[in-house]
């Protein structure tokens, strides 16, 4: 099939960006969206134009490296990552608009590549359980109730892609943060640091310039791992409890 | 010399050093001196590691702050090491090419991680895990290393649970586990189909905690392009800031490579797009030995290739083999039919038929070759794909076998299957557009993991002083084949428990002589890298980097893939030499060197893949035996099973860089005899 691509090109963080239009033929419906971009790049190299920079690594939906706003939606029209979106979701002759994640804390580095290191800094603020190597008790000495462990697992699947932020009109990272708070908070091992964790992570989140959550729900709708909106309620509840108890 | 007497005093060897009589690779290499592991432990196998941990010197906490460690790689091996060494109080600088350490390739591992916990009371033990691993590796790994791996495996689970890794649990809240290819006990711990992700997030979080504490400094989007060696010691790296393009030097007292495997030499593999050999290969060119490079693991359960546009292959965890049954039609004419219309009696459950005691759970190399033979016979399923034959002609072949969940759905219900394997079956549907709950899945082998890597001794030291290598980047623990769920185990064992204990011994010699950026060797390394980058930017030929990588991949898969022959390998070496010339005279890299430039990144990696590919072929050519992931057609039993030659090849092939082959350089082969004392070498049989 044949598609028309409108792609955001931007030389570097400081440069002014603009949309460029490319015609691409010979697209197979079995291709992933990124393989379609590979094809575009091969065409650009042949014609002597610099290929479009975009992030990807695992290409199987788990590393969280790929991004892209496709026709205004984070990761495109389906609930999945861009690398797992296939061209069979589009029609012959479609015009497709491709832009980078747009959020102030995620500055564009080049073309479609953005800097998401703010997420690492939120984790540094408390998104872990302090357990020095070698000091761990026998694993089965602390049983974890199965339903809690299941919930912890379900939200631990967050891949840190940032689609939630890109989709949110406020640029909030509450879904990402709520997923981590809930993952660690559901497990017996996560209790000792539960209250300081939420206060510190929220502090860093605000410091990075992410917006506040107003319960619009675009984040959960865009999340490729279907992290449920109620992790944000959990986040707020834990934050309230922590503040009430003076953490 | 009697076997083993020089470094294993007091122990009786079960085998003699091998004597190679064949010399298929004559003319392609030089024979160097034999080597031994200078730090091989002695004494009863079960006490070796405990003794070593005690004997290795300590570093006073006040001195640790003054010691700098560079770790390249943030996967399980590198991330866990950074966290642990940071906790211990050393100054750690951690590098990765992704935008965050959390995205290292380890994140993609699906199936699980082994540990000898014996929670099921099904006869598991440290010794059995050790035994299974040595046997599974076709007796081409080191006994002491593997025993240590089995020994620390149980601590890994404890450590990860304490960090909050959400492993699968039973109703009572205790940990669940399952079995994996090549073994008959249930020792694999898992987090649905996302075990690697959960383990990596655990290590990543532990590492980020140390970043906050100031002991670990992380350099993301930084790629190591060379190793700095001063007075015979590794003292730093040259790295490119992938955003600004700046080439920087980073200095330290010791360098650890945890940079993963090189399966992408085949172009199509299950590895992440950026996985590369550059860090290891640059160290090799600086003198580090590359061991057993030809041992490639081909994984039996991947989604078959769908066309020429494909950029990578996706693995379907082999845990699926626990419940899925593998078959092909008995009759060639049934191959085009809807599988649901093929009656039971016309299906050939070939693994259950040929290997009745292991059935669908035979090790990966056996399952992979069996699938290939079924398709070679014309009984493959799925779309027919045009395949290039060695003689240059093309042929249409169906490359797929069924992995059928119908029985499992009957037994466990659709919900039961979904709960056990959830995202795997969804992922299959997303990629192929077919629903695996209704139509059997189609699978085919793909390149997955490499057992070869930089040579290390028992202490994880390479032969360059001060250069340690961990995880998939080293060669030591898996032999010629890797059993499922043991790479994650090795990565974390190395990172959390082994390296932190062995690096002490090296660092106890500190403080080391201070060096700075003005040292002539540092400048020389920097200049060499700048020159290479400038050269790549200036060729400005007509071929894209991608097209050269694809061509290399097809040579490697055709001649150094699932089956290798003397003739094919010799042809491949010539083709690779020509391709290398083509690359350095006709590649086209656009954009500029001083900005984010993914084409340049790729060109740097592909240049090294080409050189590595040639060495892999030479190694495969020399090894005229079949073992594990290396199958030489000239060496098989009458019924087509792999035939090992312990009398000739029970050694590690450690290759030394011998100069540019296009200028007459030849790699130098150093052999390290594999001497066993606890285990007796046997032909592997899974019948
Ligand atoms: C799809 C898939 C499924 C798998 N499933 C399983 C499983 O179920 N069980 C199991 O045991 N094993 C499994 N494996 C194998 C296992 O995942 C890997 O062998 C293991 O994760 C390797 O870990 P590592 O830490 O050695 O390296 P990696 O995780 O590959 O990390 C490499 C690191 O090095 C960095 N790096 C590389 N080169 C450079 C450079 N030049 N400069 C700077 N940084 C660099 C990268 O950024 C990355 O951080 C699977 C593998 C794949 C591909
Ligand atoms: S919550 Fe969802 S959208 Fe947000 S980072 Fe995690 S996986 Fe991505
Ligand atoms: S490339 Fe890893 S999630 Fe898309």
């Amino acid at each position: 099939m044949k598609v028309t691509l409108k792609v955001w090109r931007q030389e570097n963080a400081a440069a002014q960006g603009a949309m460029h239009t490319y015609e691409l033929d010979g697209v197979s419906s079995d291709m992933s969206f990124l393989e379609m971009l590979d094809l575009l790049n091969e065409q650009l190299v042949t014609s002597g134009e610099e290929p479009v920079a975009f992030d990807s690594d695992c290409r199987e939906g788990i590393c969280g490296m790929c991004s892209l706003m496709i026709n205004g939606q984070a990761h495109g029209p389906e609930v999945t990552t861009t690398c797992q979106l296939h061209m069979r979701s589009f029609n012959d002759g479609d015009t497709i608009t491709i832009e980078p994640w747009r959020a102030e804390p995620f500055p564009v580095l080049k073309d479609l590549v953005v800097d998401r290191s703010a997420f690492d800094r939120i984790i540094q603020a408390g998104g872990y359980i302090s357990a020095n190597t070698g000091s761990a008790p026998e694993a089965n000495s602390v049983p974890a109730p199965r339903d809690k462990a299941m919930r912890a697992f379900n939200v631990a699947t967050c891949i840190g892609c940032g689609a939630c932020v890109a989709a949110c009109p406020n640029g909030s990272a509450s879904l990402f943060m709520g997923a981590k708070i809930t993952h660690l908070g559901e497990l017996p091992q996560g209790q000792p640091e539960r209250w300081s964790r939420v206060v510190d992570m929220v502090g860093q989140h605000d410091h990075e310039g992410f917006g506040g959550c107003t319960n619009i729900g675009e984040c959960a709708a865009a999340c490729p791992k279907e992290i449920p909106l109620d992790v944000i309620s959990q986040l707020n509840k834990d934050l309230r409890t922590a503040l009430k108890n003076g953490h | 010399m009697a076997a083993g007497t020089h470094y294993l005093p007091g122990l009786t060897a079960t085998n003699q050093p091998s004597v190679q009589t064949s010399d298929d690779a004559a003319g392609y290499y030089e024979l160097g001196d034999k080597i031994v592991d200078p730090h091989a432990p002695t004494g009863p196998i079960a006490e070796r590691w405990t003794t070593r941990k005690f004997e290795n010197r300590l570093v006073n906490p006040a001195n640790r702050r003054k010691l700098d460690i560079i770790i390249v790689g943030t996967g399980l091996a590198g991330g866990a090491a950074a966290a642990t060494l940071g906790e211990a109080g050393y100054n750690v600088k951690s590098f990765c090419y992704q935008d965050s350490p959390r995205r290292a390739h380890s994140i993609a591992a699906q199936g699980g991680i082994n540990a000898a916990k014996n929670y099921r009371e099904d006869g598991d033990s440290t010794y059995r895990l050790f035994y299974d691993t040595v046997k599974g590796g076709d007796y081409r790994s080191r006994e002491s290393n593997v025993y240590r791996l089995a020994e620390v495996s149980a601590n890994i689970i404890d450590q990860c649970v304490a960090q909050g890794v959400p492993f699968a649990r039973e109703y009572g809240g205790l940990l669940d586990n399952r079995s994996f290819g090549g073994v008959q006990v249930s020792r694999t711990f898992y987090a649905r189909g996302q075990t690697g992700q959960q383990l990596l997030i655990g290590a990543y979080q532990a590492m980020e905690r140390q970043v906050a504490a100031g002991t670990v400094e992380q350099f993301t989007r930084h790629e190591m392009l060379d190793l700095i060696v001063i007075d015979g010691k590794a003292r730093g790296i040259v790295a490119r800031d992938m955003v600004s393009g700046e080439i920087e030097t980073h200095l330290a007292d010791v360098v650890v490579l945890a940079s993963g495997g090189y399966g992408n030499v085949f172009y199509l593999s299950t590895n992440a797009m950026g996985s590369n050999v550059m860090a290891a290969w640059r160290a090799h060119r600086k003198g580090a030995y590359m061991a057993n490079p030809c041992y490639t693991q081909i994984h039996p359960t991947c989604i078959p290739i769908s066309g020429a546009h494909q950029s990578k292959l996706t693995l379907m965890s082999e845990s699926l083999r626990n419940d899925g049954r593998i078959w092909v039609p008995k009759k060639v004419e049934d191959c085009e039919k809807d599988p649901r219309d093929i009656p039971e009696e016309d299906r050939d459950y070939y693994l259950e038929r040929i290997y009745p005691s292991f059935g669908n759970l035979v090790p990966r190399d056996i399952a992979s070759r069996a699938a290939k033979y079924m398709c070679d016979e014309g009984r493959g399923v799925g779309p027919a794909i045009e395949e290039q034959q060695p003689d240059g002609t093309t042929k249409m072949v169906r490359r797929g076998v069924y992995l059928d969940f119908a029985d499992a759905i009957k037994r466990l219900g659709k919900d039961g299957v979904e709960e056990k394997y959830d995202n795997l079956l969804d992922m299959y549907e997303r990629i192929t557009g077919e629903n695996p709950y209704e139509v059997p899945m189609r699978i085919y082998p793909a390149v997955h993991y490499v057992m070869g890597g930089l040579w290390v001794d028992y202490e994880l030291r390479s032969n360059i002083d001060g250069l340690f290598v961990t995880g998939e980047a080293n060669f030591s623990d898996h032999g010629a084949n890797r059993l499922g769920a043991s790479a994650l185990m090795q990565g974390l064992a190395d990172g959390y428990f082994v390296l932190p204990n062995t690096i002490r011994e090296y660092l106890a010699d500190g403080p080391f002589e201070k060096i700075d950026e003005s040292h002539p060797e540092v400048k020389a390394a920097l200049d060499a890298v700048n020159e290479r980058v400038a050269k790549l930017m200036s060729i400005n030929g007509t071929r894209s980097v991608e097209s050269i990588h694809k061509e290399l991949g097809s040579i490697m898969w055709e001649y150094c893939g699932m089956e290798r022959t003397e003739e094919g390998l010799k042809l491949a070496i010539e083709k690779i030499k020509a391709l290398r010339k083509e690359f350095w005279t006709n590649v086209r890299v656009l954009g500029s060197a001083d900005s984010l430039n993914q084409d340049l990144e790729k060109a740097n990696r592909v240049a090294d893949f080409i050189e590595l590919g040639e060495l892999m072929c030479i190694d495969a050519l020399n090894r005229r035996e079949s073992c594990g992931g290396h199958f030489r057609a000239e060496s098989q039993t009458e019924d087509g099973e792999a035939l090992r030659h312990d009398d000739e090849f029970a050694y590690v092939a450690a290759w030394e860089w011998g100069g540019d082959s296009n200028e007459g350089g030849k790699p130098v082969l150093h052999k390290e005899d594999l001497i066993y004392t606890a285990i007796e070498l046997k032909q592997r049989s899974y019948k």
Side-chain angles (χ1 to χ4, degrees):
Chain A
M1 59 201 229
K2 203 171 167 169
V3 289
T4 302
L5 303 174
K6 296 197 159 155
V7 185
W8 182 260
R9 307 278 333 234
Q10 181 174 335
E11 188 53 37
N12 54 47
Q16 197 67 353
M19 298 300 282
H20 285 226
T21 305
Y22 303 100
E23 301 293 333
L24 189 64
D25 205 351
V27 174
S28 145
S29 60
D30 280 338
M31 282 179 177
S32 71
F33 197 83
L34 300 181
E35 285 166 348
M36 182 276 293
L37 286 179
D38 290 343
L39 186 70
L40 169 71
N41 279 344
E42 192 68 26
Q43 177 177 312
L44 291 177
V45 173
T46 312
S47 65
E49 190 174 342
E50 198 182 338
V52 180
F54 62 91
D55 267 331
S56 80
D57 204 22
C58 74
R59 294 208 176 181
E60 49 187 75
I62 193 76
C63 73
M65 186 103 172
C66 60
S67 45
L68 305 190
M69 291 303 273
I70 301 168
N71 290 339
Q73 282 176 289
H75 289 305
E78 297 196 16
V79 184
T80 187
T81 55
T82 303
C83 58
Q84 293 293 289
L85 176 68
H86 282 74
M87 293 310 289
R88 62 180 86 90
S89 304
F90 298 87
N91 300 314
D92 192 18
D94 276 0
T95 296
I96 307 171
T97 310
I98 310 173
E99 298 160 280
W101 280 172
R102 301 242 179 227
E104 230 164 276
F106 289 164
V108 175
L109 297 175
K110 178 167 185 161
D111 295 344
L112 305 170
V113 177
V114 301
D115 179 356
R116 282 169 284 191
S117 51
F119 271 12
D120 286 341
R121 291 188 292 273
I122 292 180
I123 297 296
Q124 284 157 24
Y128 47 74
I129 291 172
S130 298
N132 285 354
T133 308
S135 61
E138 209 297 320
N140 263 348
S141 64
V142 188
R146 195 162 183 268
D147 54 337
K148 293 210 164 215
M150 289 273 263
R151 177 155 158 84
F153 178 83
N154 286 337
V155 298
T157 56
C158 162
I159 55 175
C161 61
C164 45
V165 176
C168 174
N170 304 329
S172 172
S174 290
L175 196 69
F176 166 78
M177 206 166 38
K180 188 62 8 186
I181 299 277
T182 308
H183 161 204
L184 300 176
E186 285 287 351
L187 296 170
Q189 291 82 1
Q191 299 313 312
E193 291 164 298
R194 184 164 176 184
W195 313 114
S196 58
R197 176 183 306 124
V198 65
V199 173
D200 294 345
M201 286 177 78
V202 169
Q204 187 66 32
H205 169 274
D206 297 351
H207 176 75
E208 293 289 346
F210 291 102
C213 172
T214 51
N215 278 314
I216 295 170
E218 285 293 329
C219 52
C223 172
K225 296 296 152 183
E226 301 179 52
I227 303 292
L229 206 53
D230 65 8
V231 299
I232 300 181
S233 327
Q234 184 77 56
L235 165 73
N236 290 331
K237 201 166 125 201
D238 278 16
L239 185 62
R240 269 198 313 276
T241 311
L243 294 176
K244 209 164 63 197
N245 297 339
H247 279 275
Chain B
M1 174 193 72
T5 47
H6 61 301
Y7 70 97
L8 297 170
L11 293 169
T12 320
T14 63
N15 66 321
Q16 294 291 317
S18 45
V19 179
Q20 186 176 343
T21 52
S22 63
D23 200 6
D24 287 0
Y28 290 94
Y29 75 107
E30 307 280 349
L31 189 62
D33 296 335
K34 273 204 177 185
I35 53 171
V36 292
D37 174 351
H39 294 104
T42 54
I45 196 153
E47 289 163 27
R48 290 177 191 171
W49 180 232
T50 309
T51 312
R52 179 58 56 91
K53 275 191 290 186
F54 177 72
E55 285 172 356
N56 277 354
R57 287 172 293 162
L58 302 174
V59 179
N60 163 336
N63 288 339
R64 294 183 202 160
R65 276 194 293 278
K66 298 179 204 143
L67 290 163
D68 299 327
I69 303 175
I70 283 178
I71 303 179
V72 180
T74 60
L76 291 178
T84 305
L85 293 169
E87 279 161 28
Y90 297 99
N91 263 323
V92 178
K93 282 179 160 188
S94 154
F95 293 80
C96 68
Y97 68 74
Q98 295 93 343
D99 67 330
S100 165
R102 65 175 291 147
R103 309 209 200 278
H105 167 66
S106 294
I107 201 128
Q110 300 170 350
I113 177 166
N114 286 335
K117 280 281 199 187
N118 195 26
Y119 282 162
R120 297 259 175 164
E121 201 53 36
D122 57 359
D124 202 9
S125 62
T126 299
Y127 197 87
R128 189 177 299 278
L129 175 53
F130 156 66
Y131 178 82
D132 285 347
T133 307
V134 174
K135 174 186 172 203
D138 240 336
Y139 306 94
R140 292 293 177 265
S141 48
R142 278 205 206 113
E143 222 176 38
S144 302
N145 292 56
V146 178
Y147 194 91
R148 173 177 68 191
L149 177 64
E151 192 177 333
V152 303
S153 65
N155 303 97
I156 296 174
I157 304 303
D158 299 342
Q159 179 62 30
C160 296
V161 166
Q163 288 170 344
V165 170
F167 284 117
R169 290 186 181 260
E170 294 176 337
Y171 284 98
L174 301 178
L175 294 160
D176 192 8
N177 43 34
R178 60 188 176 196
S179 57
F180 237 69
V183 295
Q184 291 165 313
V185 290
S186 272
R187 63 160 73 103
T188 308
F189 294 79
Y190 66 104
R192 278 192 227 149
Q194 304 173 36
T195 315
Q197 183 201 23
Q198 295 307 321
L199 294 173
L200 184 68
I201 296 288
Y204 156 75
Q205 287 172 183
M207 176 178 152
E208 293 304 310
R209 173 176 161 237
Q210 292 315 121
V211 173
T215 59
V216 175
E217 190 180 355
Q218 78 186 26
F219 294 83
T220 55
R221 292 198 197 268
H222 271 70
E223 184 153 60
M224 164 178 168
L225 302 189
D226 211 351
L227 180 72
I228 298 174
V229 182
I230 297 176
D231 298 329
K233 290 191 170 63
R235 293 303 303 268
I237 63 169
V238 183
R240 181 170 180 272
D241 175 329
M242 296 158 79
V243 178
S244 70
E246 194 171 337
I247 314 266
E248 310 164 345
T249 53
H250 294 268
L251 304 172
D253 296 301
V254 65
V255 177
V256 180
L257 298 188
S259 49
Y262 51 74
N264 276 350
V265 67
F266 290 89
Y267 185 75
L268 283 182
S269 82
T270 63
N271 288 8
M273 300 305 288
S275 298
N276 65 81
V277 75
M278 193 157 40
W281 193 255
R282 294 284 116 199
H284 174 62
R285 292 194 53 147
K286 287 275 164 93
Y289 296 163
M290 180 60 93
N292 298 335
C294 80
Y295 289 160
T296 308
Q297 182 166 81
I298 315 277
H299 195 290
T301 54
C302 299
I303 301 180
I305 184 170
S306 68
H309 56 264
Q310 205 139 347
S311 57
K312 71 157 277 165
L313 296 171
T314 302
L315 177 88
M316 288 284 105
S317 165
E318 75 174 332
S319 62
L320 295 171
R321 290 203 272 152
N322 277 326
D323 290 302
R325 297 180 70 198
I326 296 175
W327 62 278
V328 290
K330 281 187 181 158
K331 300 183 240 164
V332 174
E333 59 273 23
D334 280 355
C335 291
E336 276 170 65
K337 274 197 193 157
D338 183 324
R340 290 167 294 187
D341 297 338
I342 303 176
E344 252 337 274
E345 64 273 17
D346 288 338
R347 301 175 175 194
D348 180 7
Y349 295 91
Y350 58 90
L351 290 176
E352 298 169 33
R353 170 171 60 81
I354 312 173
Y355 306 98
S357 55
F358 280 75
N360 294 307
L361 289 178
V362 291
R364 295 178 173 178
D365 57 322
I366 294 181
S368 298
R369 269 196 304 279
K372 174 177 188 292
Y373 294 152
M374 295 303 131
C375 299
D376 288 349
E377 263 179 55
R379 294 196 285 144
V381 297
I385 303 217
E386 192 171 89
E387 253 183 33
Q388 178 113 19
Q389 302 299 300
D391 62 3
T393 58
T394 58
K395 185 170 126 188
M396 300 300 280
V397 191
R398 291 175 204 283
R399 291 281 171 205
V401 300
Y402 290 124
L403 176 62
D404 198 336
F405 272 85
D407 282 3
I409 293 171
K410 260 185 233 147
R411 193 159 31 89
L412 305 168
K414 184 176 175 249
D415 291 350
V417 171
E418 199 170 326
E419 192 188 309
K420 237 166 139 180
Y421 301 108
D422 75 332
N423 60 311
L424 297 179
L425 280 81
D426 293 347
M427 185 153 96
Y428 178 86
E429 179 163 9
R430 191 151 271 302
I431 293 170
T432 61
E434 285 172 18
N435 180 348
Y437 292 101
E438 282 161 19
V439 194
M441 294 164 77
R442 285 176 294 110
I443 53 163
Y444 195 67
V447 170
H448 176 59
Y449 179 91
V450 291
M451 282 74 68
L454 290 178
W455 183 88
V456 288
D457 65 17
Y458 185 70
E459 300 255 299
L460 303 182
R461 299 184 189 204
S462 73
N463 60 307
I464 297 181
D465 252 4
L467 179 69
F468 288 69
V469 191
T470 63
E472 192 172 341
N474 76 24
F475 89 102
S476 59
D477 293 4
H478 305 297
N481 183 38
R482 178 175 70 78
L483 293 179
S486 58
L488 299 182
M489 174 172 68
Q490 187 218 340
L492 289 179
D494 283 1
Y496 284 131
F497 301 108
V498 181
L499 179 79
N501 278 298
T502 59
I503 208 167
R504 288 195 268 127
E505 172 63 24
Y506 185 82
L507 291 174
D509 279 334
F512 299 85
E513 194 195 332
K514 282 287 158 218
I515 40 165
D516 61 34
E517 314 279 331
S518 65
H519 192 286
E521 288 295 331
V522 178
K523 281 192 155 150
L526 185 66
D527 290 347
V529 169
N530 272 315
E531 225 171 89
R532 174 169 153 120
V533 169
K535 168 82 185 156
L536 286 170
M537 297 303 305
S538 69
I539 300 170
N540 204 15
T542 59
R543 294 273 308 261
S544 69
V545 179
E546 190 75 3
S547 76
I548 293 182
H549 191 190
K550 261 191 192 170
E551 189 175 334
L552 174 69
S554 67
I555 298 171
M556 294 302 293
W557 180 244
E558 178 64 40
Y559 303 106
C560 199
M562 259 196 280
E563 192 170 314
R564 296 125 187 226
T565 64
E566 180 182 347
E567 199 194 353
L569 288 163
K570 286 182 171 163
L571 189 63
I573 294 169
E574 293 321 306
K575 284 177 181 262
I576 294 171
K577 279 197 205 309
L579 188 64
R580 177 150 162 218
K581 257 197 205 119
E582 167 83 356
F583 178 93
W584 286 103
T585 52
N586 198 22
V587 78
R588 166 183 283 191
V589 183
L590 295 166
S592 66
D594 53 6
S595 71
L596 200 159
N597 186 336
Q598 294 172 330
D599 229 21
L600 173 62
E601 291 159 21
K602 181 133 206 221
N604 253 317
R605 295 170 191 163
V606 171
D608 288 343
F609 277 139
I610 298 175
E611 293 180 6
L612 166 72
E614 185 177 348
L615 185 67
M616 287 170 75
C617 291
I618 295 174
D619 187 42
L621 181 59
N622 173 58
R623 193 170 282 275
R624 194 186 180 88
E625 69 163 344
S626 296
C627 65
H630 167 63
F631 190 83
R632 275 289 293 270
E634 297 91 344
S635 183
Q636 46 183 307
T637 63
E638 269 170 19
D639 46 0
E641 300 291 338
L643 183 62
R644 242 174 40 225
H645 292 296
D646 296 332
D647 50 338
E648 283 196 72
F649 296 104
Y651 66 76
V652 174
W655 296 92
E656 181 184 349
W657 172 251
D660 195 322
S661 72
N662 281 1
E663 287 159 20
K666 284 178 189 170
V668 183
L669 172 61
H670 298 278
K671 297 181 183 176
E672 179 201 330
D673 287 323
L674 288 166
I675 303 295
Y676 291 86
T677 61
I679 280 185
E680 222 173 298
L681 280 76
K682 292 202 180 107
Q683 269 306 322
R684 224 159 38 113
S685 169
Y686 291 88
K687 291 216 162 157

